Amino acid sequence: MPASAAQPQAPASKSETGFPPLSRSAFVIVFGVSLAVAAGNSGLQSVLPAIGRQIGIPDPLIAAIFSLSALLWTVSAPYWAKRSDRDGRRPMITLGLFGFAISMTGCACVVWAGLHKFIPPLLVFGGFALLRAVFGLIGSAANPASQAYVAERTHSESRTEALSQLAGAFGLGTIAGPAIAPLFVIGILGLAGPMFFFAAFAALMLLAVWKGVPETRVAKPAAADDDAVDLAPQGKSAGLWRDPAIRPFLFYGLLAGSAQQVNGYTLGFLVIDKLGQTPMQAQKLIGVAMMAGAMAGLLAQWGLIRMFRMGPRHLLRWGAGLAALGNLALAFAPSYEMLVFAYALINLGYGFCRPGFTAGASLAASDKRQGEIAGAVTAVNGACVIVTPVLGVALYKLFNPAPFLMNAAILTALLAYVFHAVALKRAGVAPTDDAQNAASTYDYAEGGG
């Protein structure tokens, strides 16, 4: 964790919302929550191809394990966000961590049993998918509650910086997960070892949240207190899809995010096949490639966006262009080294895409609609993972370059769309400094599933 992330500028008095200021210790713990979840998810993704091939589960099915979880994430995240308004942030953060820890522990046990031939591959697949779904249904409570906890305890002038640092936890987790996972592929635990470790990490963070994150409730006006909580407030999100000022950003985010997921879920299989090694032998090099991509995304997120003061228009254009070029290079990468370079270039592009569409949509909406925008963005992030893992891996099995050529075509079309759609052409025109900084609040690796 960078030193700056551990020390957000806490105001000396209550925030505009009436909450006490965010303490540094509480921020470090909330940062650790996001880090634990991101590291666990990326670490699991890095070992999943090896798990499937070691147990004998077909590649498309092993990728499909994330689809049900992503669908449940898309539906449940807005519900938990609304529940945190009513029941408090800390209870929802702890609930989400509990769901993550239970899901990861259960998945580890099922995988361990499959590796040792105690249960057949089909039962491993079914158990793994159902236990992973626990994360999508319950684990999704932590993310929106963590962000709301930070936002309501910081003044407006320091909120962007605090949320940007919190979002950086996802990028760090994406680097740490694949780096840590091979260290715990040990002894009798084998490929289940990393999942046991990430579950224990989440359990420790759960205890830290309960002991070190204070919960202070602020009374709301009667009109703001919703007695009924709808599971899926789809009406407002559907309205945004009909809004010509917002729809192009959501459409861009859905396609760019889906392409990113195709890359992420096919990478492990590509490395194994490119090297011609066994899944266990290739595991460390899968992690290296994933870390290279994550570091490129962080370079965009923490460096280039701020250095060049890039607004949403520039992010949308450069993001689609670089990701398209990287996918074309990945489709015909002649060596592992070229594969890593192409994957890094791809993620540099995605590091621009996500803040481009999220900040662009936010700037195109009024202040009163920011909650609707956040809900729609959350739903888009989850929707990107419902079908793409299966589609990407199935195409890869038919013809190895196919998913990357498909991505290159989609992203090239998106690049043309950015210059065609009026809302995207004018995205963030003459943005203020605050608006430019807001782009960095959304980390490229954030998402459900």
Side-chain angles (χ1 to χ4, degrees), residues 296-364:
L298 281 181
L299 173 63
Q301 187 72 32
W302 286 357
L304 298 180
I305 291 176
R306 292 181 180 274
M307 182 184 303
F308 294 105
R309 302 181 65 81
M310 300 171 73
R313 282 187 305 164
H314 306 101
L315 297 175
L316 294 171
R317 296 170 185 177
W318 280 99
L322 290 173
L325 185 61
N327 269 283
L328 194 60
L330 188 63
F332 302 107
S335 64
Y336 172 77
E337 291 75 17
M338 186 61 188
L339 180 156
V340 172
F341 172 79
Y343 191 69
L345 182 61
I346 287 168
N347 280 277
L348 182 66
Y350 293 140
F352 292 140
C353 286
R354 189 174 296 276
F357 100 83
T358 49
S362 177
L363 291 170

Side-chain angles (χ1 to χ4, degrees), residues 64-321:
I65 285 171
F66 283 82
S67 297
L68 176 59
S69 176
L71 176 62
L72 293 173
W73 171 285
T74 303
V75 174
S76 63
Y79 167 72
W80 293 123
K82 200 168 185 180
R83 279 289 301 269
S84 75
D85 288 338
R86 189 184 72 183
D87 299 335
R89 312 303 183 192
R90 186 176 68 178
M92 294 300 103
I93 296 173
T94 54
L95 177 65
L97 278 172
F98 177 76
F100 176 82
I102 290 297
S103 171
M104 198 65 80
T105 301
C107 290
C109 291
V110 168
V111 167
W112 182 86
L115 289 170
H116 292 275
K117 311 298 183 184
F118 294 137
I119 56 177
L122 184 60
L123 192 56
V124 174
F125 166 74
F128 201 154
L130 289 175
L131 287 162
R132 178 64 187 175
V134 173
F135 169 69
L137 185 63
I138 301 176
S140 56
N143 187 27
S146 297
Q147 181 170 325
Y149 185 91
V150 172
E152 65 194 6
R153 286 166 172 77
T154 50
H155 279 285
S156 56
E157 61 268 21
S158 59
R159 187 168 301 153
T160 295
E161 181 66 20
L163 289 177
S164 179
Q165 292 176 358
L166 181 64
F170 289 95
L172 289 178
T174 306
I175 294 173
I180 293 172
L183 302 179
F184 291 90
V185 182
I186 52 177
I188 194 173
L189 296 179
L191 289 166
M195 286 177 278
F196 283 116
F197 168 77
F198 291 123
F201 186 14
L204 288 175
M205 291 311 307
L206 193 157
L207 180 62
V209 169
W210 192 252
K211 295 290 186 180
V213 176
E215 178 73 78
T216 303
R217 304 301 301 277
V218 174
K220 295 182 180 179
D225 188 12
D226 297 330
D227 292 329
V229 179
D230 297 328
L231 180 60
Q234 296 173 342
K236 292 184 178 181
S237 296
L240 291 176
W241 279 98
R242 291 192 294 266
D243 188 334
I246 305 298
R247 181 177 60 245
F249 295 101
L250 299 180
F251 180 72
Y252 181 102
L254 180 63
L255 289 185
S258 296
Q260 182 179 10
Q261 296 302 327
V262 167
N263 285 127
Y265 284 99
T266 54
L267 177 67
F269 301 110
L270 180 62
V271 172
I272 292 171
D273 294 336
K274 182 71 67 176
L275 295 173
Q277 297 179 348
T278 67
M280 291 292 288
Q281 291 172 333
Q283 189 56 51
K284 289 185 179 180
L285 292 179
I286 293 173
V288 169
M290 291 188 70
M291 286 189 290
M295 291 176 68
L298 281 181
L299 173 63
Q301 187 72 32
W302 286 357
L304 298 180
I305 291 176
R306 292 181 180 274
M307 182 184 303
F308 294 105
R309 302 181 65 81
M310 300 171 73
R313 282 187 305 164
H314 306 101
L315 297 175
L316 294 171
R317 296 170 185 177
W318 280 99

Side-chain angles (χ1 to χ4, degrees), residues 1-9 24 27-28 31 161-162 164-166 172 302:
M1 183 189 308
S4 60
Q7 298 181 354
Q9 296 299 314
R24 291 177 178 176
F27 180 83
V28 169
F31 185 97
E161 181 66 20
S164 179
Q165 292 176 358
L166 181 64
L172 289 178
W302 286 357

